[in-house]
Amino acid sequence: PLTLEDGRYVMDFDDLTAKISRNTKMLLLCNPHNPVGRVWKRHELEQLGRICVANDILLIADEIHDDIIYSGHHHYPIANLGEELANNTITLSSPGKTFNLQGMQMGYAIIPEPSIKKVFSDQLARNWVHLYNPLTIEATRAAYQEGEEWLNDLLAYLEQNRDHLVDYIHKNIPGIDVIVPDGTYICWLDCRALSLSQVELRDLMTNKAKVGLNDGMSFGTGGEGFQRLNFACPGSTLEEGLQRISDAVKGLSQQK
Ligand SMILES: Cc1ncc(COP(=O)(O)O)c(C=O)c1O
């Protein structure tokens, strides 16, 4: 459960604690968070970790965006914040986002606690998803061992795109606000001030602006009035998309 406070999402620990029951077995943490772009601070993760350990809740940490972190932010893998947390966490990641290798269909889990690892591995084997082809393994090795320079260039490019996107929207698109992402290459757009229904908002983006955003509702409760924009694209494509959104929003006021 997240709440939006002064333009940033925070974890609502009171709400979380209230929702825990005897049947609560697992908590799924997304860090960096998709879609709201938060890179959780150390003290937030420690508080979350304490709640999980105290209530015997296994942490599943989806850290797939862990390398896409912008200036001024630091990603802490939650399993690194102490032995107790390490032994209570399954960390999931992949080179897919960082190195654009989704086509390799590669993911991995880091599970320090042997008994959890055994249950996990047995289940993978039962579902026949534990086998990788050699090309995938070599691509992953090459990415992690030889991809640093490429990644540094990518991060500089993405940060420039992010800053431009935020600046453009603030200056040119009244009615849409940006939740500035600390990491990830996605941006959560707050379109609630446009006062459109979700169907009208989707129509505005898809049919009027002709841009392919993800509808906020596809991320569940709290997504009403929001859209998700992926800015991992050439700056010129981003510019055109923003211009089209701006024109479509201007068109709304002309209709009124
Ligand atoms: C937070 C998060 N986890 C996992 C995935 C799955 O990635 P893939 O299926 O490409 O490995 C995604 C993809 O969008 C994601 O954003």
Side-chain angles (χ1 to χ4, degrees):
L2 306 182
T3 51
L4 187 55
E5 284 179 10
D6 300 328
R8 280 176 78 68
Y9 280 86
V10 291
M11 295 188 198
D12 186 341
F13 292 111
D14 291 336
D15 186 34
L16 175 67
T17 310
K19 286 190 164 110
I20 294 173
S21 76
R22 274 186 302 135
N23 297 325
T24 312
K25 303 278 183 248
M26 259 183 212
L27 183 137
L28 185 58
L29 166 71
C30 194
N31 181 32
H33 191 277
N34 174 8
V36 307
R38 272 298 314 275
V39 175
W40 302 108
K41 295 201 180 302
R42 187 182 181 118
H43 70 89
E44 293 172 305
L45 294 171
E46 284 172 343
Q47 192 169 349
L48 183 72
R50 275 195 296 275
I51 294 173
C52 289
V53 170
N55 290 283
D56 201 16
I57 296 171
L58 180 67
L59 257 160
I60 312 292
D62 178 342
E63 306 200 359
I64 197 167
H65 292 271
D66 54 3
D67 291 309
I68 319 274
I69 310 292
Y70 299 122
S71 315
H73 297 281
H74 183 85
H75 172 255
Y76 295 96
I78 195 164
N80 282 7
L81 302 181
E83 202 180 330
E84 211 171 12
L85 271 177
N87 289 333
N88 190 46
T89 301
I90 295 179
T91 304
L92 303 174
S93 195
S94 144
K97 305 287 172 205
T98 309
F99 297 102
N100 223 357
L101 284 176
Q102 275 95 340
M104 288 286 150
Q105 306 206 335
M106 164 65 161
Y108 54 86
I110 303 168
I111 312 175
E113 163 53 44
S115 60
I116 303 177
K117 185 172 177 179
K118 181 166 184 341
V119 173
F120 189 89
S121 305
D122 288 352
Q123 190 61 37
L124 285 194
R126 230 172 271 135
N127 293 335
W128 287 93
V129 287
H130 61 307
L131 304 173
Y132 288 110
N133 69 54
L135 183 61
T136 296
I137 294 169
E138 179 54 17
T140 302
R141 185 207 61 74
Y144 282 127
Q145 288 187 348
E146 297 163 36
E148 192 172 352
E149 199 183 332
W150 184 90
L151 175 59
N152 289 338
D153 290 348
L154 173 79
L155 287 175
Y157 197 94
L158 288 177
E159 189 156 333
Q160 206 178 316
N161 269 6
R162 179 202 64 165
D163 291 347
H164 177 64
L165 160 74
V166 171
D167 189 54
Y168 186 102
I169 292 183
H170 283 158
K171 287 189 181 141
N172 300 298
I173 317 188
I176 299 188
D177 201 3
V178 191
I179 310 300
V180 182
D182 311 332
T184 78
Y185 44 64
I186 51 195
C187 189
W188 191 232
L189 301 179
D190 183 350
C191 309
R192 290 174 298 174
L194 293 175
S195 303
L196 300 175
S197 70
Q198 203 64 22
V199 172
E200 289 167 335
L201 181 58
R202 256 198 310 265
D203 177 62
L204 177 79
M205 296 301 178
T206 310
N207 301 323
K208 306 218 166 65
K210 298 200 190 304
V211 290
L213 306 187
N214 297 93
D215 188 64
M217 284 305 291
S218 64
F219 299 92
T221 315
E224 303 90 343
F226 288 83
Q227 296 281 297
R228 191 191 75 168
L229 184 152
N230 183 324
F231 56 88
C233 60
S236 54
T237 307
L238 179 63
E239 187 67 29
E240 186 179 338
L242 289 169
Q243 180 75 54
R244 290 197 207 172
I245 296 173
S246 172
D247 290 346
V249 170
K250 279 191 194 116
L252 283 178
S253 46
Q254 282 156 11
Q255 273 169 27
K256 283 179 189 161

